[in-house]
Amino acid sequence: MRTILSIVLTAMLAGSAVAREVYVDNVVVVLDASGSMKDLMQGSGIRKIDAAKAAIKEVLKYTPPSTQVGLLVFGQSSRWEYPLGPRNDGEMFAAIDRVAASGGTPL
């Protein structure tokens, strides 16, 4: 009887340890802010950079709140506009809004 009780308790404790593990998704958005992003999209009056920024915001609306996000911008240079980490939509959206297209592409 003790052996069965010991096995059951061990299984329960092992199961609870697994249940306590937390998995976090990480998403890094890479945004082209090179000078060509100032151009209008073909057939519309919308600049490429504005369309890209709107698309990023729309996707983030449907991303689970537990997802850690980061915004990496490249243009004349590369920089983290919003470092990968816990999500704060207000700060992330403000970071997206700060991005301006200019310069060349270092690729």
Side-chain angles (χ1 to χ4, degrees), residues 10-21:
T10 302
M12 287 175 58
L13 291 174
S16 66
V18 171
R20 285 187 295 232
E21 288 184 35

Side-chain angles (χ1 to χ4, degrees), residues 4-96:
I4 293 174
L5 183 58
S6 176
I7 292 171
V8 169
L9 286 174
T10 302
M12 287 175 58
L13 291 174
S16 66
V18 171
R20 285 187 295 232
E21 288 184 35
V22 176
Y23 296 95
V24 178
D25 291 324
N26 294 300
V27 173
V28 175
V29 177
V30 180
L31 177 58
D32 178 0
S34 63
S36 66
M37 293 295 283
K38 288 191 251 181
D39 296 344
L40 298 178
M41 292 177 39
Q42 188 174 3
S44 77
I46 301 171
R47 293 184 316 148
K48 293 176 182 179
I49 190 74
D50 295 330
K53 289 162 52 169
I56 293 167
K57 289 178 181 179
E58 189 64 24
V59 168
L60 287 173
K61 289 179 188 176
Y62 298 98
T63 305
S66 61
T67 302
Q68 295 192 74
V69 296
L71 177 62
L72 182 61
V73 177
F74 70 93
Q76 193 100 17
S77 62
S78 298
R79 68 190 181 281
W80 284 99
E81 196 66 40
Y82 185 92
L84 179 62
R87 186 168 163 179
N88 178 319
D89 286 349
E91 290 179 19
M92 179 66 160
F93 281 40
I96 293 167

